[in-house]
Amino acid sequence: MAEIRASTVLPARRTDIELQTADGLTLVGELAVPEDRPPVATLVCLHPLPTAEGMMDSHVLRKASYRLPALAGLAVLRFNTRGTSSDRGTSEGEFGGSDTERYDVAAALEWAEYHDLPRTWLLGWSFGTELALRWGRDPFVEGAILLSPPLHRATDDDLDAWAEFGRPLVALVPERDDYLQPPEARERFKRVPQAEVIGVDGAKHLWVGEPYVRIVLNEIVKHVVPEAYPLPTEVS
């Protein structure tokens, strides 16, 4: 048995994809699916702020794509929002401050639906949580998991709309977050009766450190595919 480490890449079928937005842009991305079986559910990943180096390869999202297809049977769809670059390439367009990115979220969900990916959940991190809350209320979406939600661009109106939407909402909030810490998060998310706020002791906004990555990935699996929880820490 070998321990799963920060650099571990487990087997999966990984395919470069392109998304077409309703306003005429091409976005670059990747789909990772289990190597030897159909996926049981899907994560559509929405990355942190691109003007602060957020992208589809931001480490928690990258590690989700490296591990969760093999360990939990998940499909993991990552992409660069408009104007964002990574090793995969640069998506067309310019940063829209979360407004025009509504078309990017819609394009990813349309791609997932067209390709018959099952049980789609949004996985947003920081800026990506704003996109999930503002633009993720699609009938195709089963729920959303929010990592380090700042609740800056997403307002109480968006929370009220998600409450009416009725789908599960799980917020993982670092104890030492720079923007929103667990006590305030619990107060803000009271507007969403079905929201679950999970404070993570010792964690910071960027979830640096393998112990915190494992907490995040385990909570994702616990809510999306509970039969795969807890994740193993070793592989053969």
Side-chain angles (χ1 to χ4, degrees):
M1 299 290 285
E3 182 183 3
I4 296 173
R5 299 178 178 273
S7 58
T8 299
V9 181
L10 298 178
R13 287 187 287 121
R14 297 181 169 89
T15 306
D16 288 344
I17 64 172
E18 291 186 345
L19 311 177
Q20 305 298 323
T21 70
D23 59 342
L25 301 180
T26 298
L27 313 178
V28 300
E30 181 201 82
L31 177 70
V33 298
E35 188 176 48
D36 55 358
R37 52 181 166 149
V40 296
T42 305
L43 298 177
V44 171
C45 301
L46 304 173
H47 61 68
L49 189 66
T51 55
E53 302 183 355
M55 56 179 168
M56 62 179 275
D57 281 339
S58 293
H59 77 104
V60 174
L61 306 183
R62 185 179 70 246
K63 290 167 186 171
S65 76
Y66 284 175
R67 303 181 198 180
L68 296 185
L71 298 181
L74 287 171
V76 180
L77 190 162
R78 298 177 296 139
F79 69 99
N80 286 329
T81 57
R82 57 190 57 215
T84 303
S85 298
S86 70
D87 286 346
R88 170 68 182 90
T90 300
S91 291
E92 294 178 349
E94 298 178 351
F95 176 64
S98 83
D99 293 329
T100 50
E101 282 83 1
R102 68 185 302 169
Y103 301 115
D104 304 355
V105 176
L109 294 175
E110 288 166 7
W111 196 97
E113 183 173 15
Y114 180 80
H115 289 85
D116 295 322
L117 294 177
R119 298 190 50 236
T120 295
W121 281 68
L122 296 172
L123 173 61
W125 180 6
S126 192
F127 175 72
T129 70
E130 314 273 44
L131 301 186
L133 289 168
R134 296 190 70 191
W135 312 122
R137 301 184 304 273
D138 184 288
F140 190 60
V141 170
E142 287 203 0
I145 296 173
L146 311 179
L147 311 180
S148 308
L151 293 184
H152 173 54
R153 294 171 176 87
T155 67
D156 286 347
D157 288 343
D158 296 307
L159 294 175
D160 291 344
W162 195 282
E164 185 176 352
F165 183 46
R167 304 295 166 85
L169 192 64
V170 181
L172 299 183
V173 183
E175 177 191 26
R176 300 166 65 186
D177 198 288
D178 298 322
Y179 305 101
L180 185 73
Q181 296 182 353
E184 183 185 356
R186 292 188 180 96
E187 191 63 31
R188 294 285 303 276
F189 278 102
K190 281 182 179 179
R191 307 180 77 93
V192 186
Q194 73 274 23
E196 180 181 358
V197 176
I198 300 170
V200 180
D201 292 346
K204 296 182 180 180
H205 189 77
L206 297 180
W207 301 98
V208 173
E210 178 63 18
Y212 298 113
V213 173
R214 288 184 177 179
I215 289 171
V216 168
L217 298 185
N218 264 299
E219 287 295 340
I220 291 168
V221 168
K222 183 178 180 180
H223 288 85
V224 179
V225 270
E227 61 272 22
Y229 174 86
L231 293 171
T233 58
E234 297 179 325
V235 290
S236 57

